[in-house]
Amino acid sequence: MNLYDLAPAQLEQVLGEIVSPPFRVKQIEEWMHVRGAASFEAMTNLPRDVRAALAERFTISFPEVLTRTEPAQDGSQKYLFRLHDGQRIESVYMPMGERTSVCLSSQAGCAVGCTFCVTGFFGPGRNIAPSEMLGQFFTIRSEKQIPADHMNVVFMGMGEPLLNFENLVTTLDVLYRSMSPRRVTVSTSGIIPGIDDLARLERRPNLAVSINAPDRKRREEIMPITAKYPLDELMASLRRFPLEKGRDLTIEYVLLAGYNDAPRDAVALAKLIRGTHAKVNAIPFNPDPNLPEWMKRPGDAAIDRFVDTLVQNGVRVTVRRSKGREIAAACGQLRGKEIAKSRATAGRPLRTASGPASEADSRR
Ligand code: SF4
């Protein structure tokens, strides 16, 4: 059993059965959940025989780092991890002045199938265990030597976190040992039952929802999940999501040139989100050879027009312009390159960009 798969209360119970006195249990819990120890050996204030007894019964291990990209101009860096069964997941380290954000994956693939997303292109993968989510966090935190109170965590990497709800909640419980829930954001494609489950948690993270189109028809084209969870019902779930004082929802909006970036789309988006206490995070699309050719990043002038129109309509907006930050929006690309490489080596064809592009063009 990997002890990092247990929530703090479960860990105390399991350890309490074999470790005494009780303060030793507290020490171990702190070594793991606060300091992120990657081995029992590292727990230097525990007697040797306690460490040996733990190592005989349990493991505490994290996924292995396979690749780190060169840091981008702003210092952002992408990590590719290998899980114990050979699956690969990505995380992103994003320094932002005083604070540092780490973007984590929650599944080793994704069944949601958003058409602008490389992870969606490569299809479903298994749920990631808490130890695998925490491993991304603790590995990057320790490599970059980031003080815990300087960190933000966003679940915006590969996968739909609300489709891995139980493991997500265990992971959140551990993260909250060293950081406030206000520093943690869960980003969803709009899984309504998951949003309602999140709303019932006593300690809620921030909620970000990927909207990407101001009307149901276009949203369903690029986010097929809309057929299951319609846009109007999704907006109703956001309106009933409880927000403490000073907290906002985030609406993510990937800008696709000529598709959803016109000023009239900004007006429609402003109308759609009215009453949700939300700010918009506009994310210019990041092209990838696996994604439809018609999907292009808008020019700076179009981005400015879109953002200005939102502001004129009373919406608070941030826009991700820097290259490094975009790597978070493009999570799955590094793993995508790996998969493409291994398929090419095995002589298996990849779907070409022109296939889905013509399909998408005909739908527009
Ligand atoms: S954007 Fe998120 S929910 Fe959509 S396919 Fe990609 S990983 Fe899945």
Side-chain angles (χ1 to χ4, degrees):
M1 181 199 296
N2 188 340
L3 292 181
Y4 273 112
D5 287 332
L6 305 178
Q10 295 169 309
L11 180 70
E12 279 192 30
Q13 197 190 337
V14 168
L15 291 177
E17 287 164 14
I18 61 157
V19 176
S20 63
F23 79 87
R24 291 273 178 236
V25 173
K26 291 268 177 234
Q27 281 178 318
I28 299 166
E29 196 271 335
E30 182 163 333
W31 270 110
M32 292 176 57
H33 294 170
V34 179
R35 301 202 207 184
S39 72
F40 294 117
E41 269 316 290
M43 302 177 181
T44 46
N45 58 356
L46 292 186
R48 214 174 271 279
D49 60 323
V50 173
R51 282 183 270 165
L54 288 170
E56 244 173 55
R57 290 177 173 77
F58 308 114
T59 56
I60 48 171
S61 63
F62 295 143
E64 169 200 0
V65 179
L66 211 57
T67 317
R68 297 165 188 79
T69 57
E70 282 299 309
Q73 245 177 14
D74 62 4
S76 303
Q77 208 173 356
K78 202 179 250 192
Y79 283 67
L80 185 68
F81 289 89
R82 177 168 43 211
L83 308 183
H84 64 84
D85 57 357
Q87 306 261 1
R88 283 142 165 78
I89 53 166
E90 290 183 22
S91 321
V92 187
Y93 160 74
M94 294 175 282
M96 298 170 164
E98 286 261 296
R99 295 236 157 237
T100 293
S101 285
V102 180
C103 174
L104 307 181
S105 291
S106 55
Q107 295 182 305
C110 189
V112 173
C114 306
T115 58
F116 50 82
C117 169
V118 179
T119 304
F121 171 81
F122 282 106
R126 71 166 169 85
N127 280 340
I128 292 178
S131 58
E132 294 166 330
M133 290 191 244
L134 292 167
Q136 301 167 63
F137 169 78
F138 283 127
T139 301
I140 296 175
R141 193 184 83 178
S142 114
E143 257 192 48
K144 300 292 184 187
Q145 302 194 336
I146 315 162
D149 56 349
H150 285 222
M151 286 194 84
N152 292 332
V153 170
V154 291
F155 287 89
M156 197 186 169
M158 290 166 51
E160 167 50 67
L162 297 186
L163 293 180
N164 187 11
F165 194 79
E166 223 173 283
N167 289 344
L168 174 74
V169 171
T170 300
T171 305
L172 293 176
D173 280 347
V174 174
L175 291 175
Y176 296 161
R177 287 286 283 113
S178 57
M179 65 200 310
S180 153
R182 286 174 181 262
R183 297 279 164 216
V184 181
T185 300
V186 170
S187 169
T188 177
S189 58
I191 310 294
I192 297 173
I195 293 172
D196 288 339
D197 286 344
L198 211 56
R200 281 189 281 274
L201 294 181
E202 209 172 299
R203 304 180 78 198
R204 282 180 294 279
N206 301 310
L207 178 63
V209 184
S210 196
I211 294 289
N212 306 317
D215 56 74
R216 177 175 178 161
K217 183 173 171 290
R218 271 183 292 173
R219 190 169 192 266
E220 198 168 325
E221 282 176 348
I222 57 173
M223 300 185 74
I225 192 78
T226 310
K228 187 163 183 191
Y229 300 116
L231 188 53
D232 52 344
E233 290 176 27
L234 172 59
M235 298 316 294
S237 78
L238 299 187
R239 286 192 182 91
R240 65 177 173 261
F241 191 82
L243 287 173
E244 292 95 355
K245 206 165 174 254
R247 294 180 93 175
D248 294 315
L249 295 172
T250 301
I251 299 293
E252 283 150 7
Y253 194 95
V254 173
L255 285 163
L256 293 158
Y259 186 75
N260 63 359
D261 63 341
R264 67 175 175 279
D265 297 324
V267 174
L269 178 63
K271 204 169 151 201
L272 180 76
I273 67 174
R274 209 160 282 157
T276 58
H277 217 278
K279 58 181 194 257
V280 169
N281 187 17
I283 308 166
F285 174 70
N286 201 23
D288 183 277
N290 292 306
L291 298 179
E293 266 172 15
W294 69 263
M295 290 187 172
K296 303 253 191 298
R297 178 195 171 96
D300 284 348
I303 297 171
D304 288 344
R305 270 198 304 274
F306 185 87
V307 169
D308 289 349
T309 310
L310 278 178
V311 172
Q312 284 155 16
N313 281 271
V315 178
R316 287 164 298 146
V317 197
T318 52
V319 55
R320 277 200 208 139
R321 283 182 199 274
S322 122
K323 270 241 168 300
R325 299 276 141 69
E326 279 162 25
I327 60 183
C331 221
Q333 289 187 332
L334 186 57
R335 185 188 73 134
K337 277 186 199 158
E338 284 266 321
I339 297 174
K341 235 193 301 175
S342 64
R343 286 190 188 170
T345 316
R348 283 164 60 199
L350 268 176
R351 191 168 90 186
T352 61
S354 60
S358 48
E359 187 189 307
D361 279 333
S362 67
R363 280 188 283 129
R364 278 194 297 156

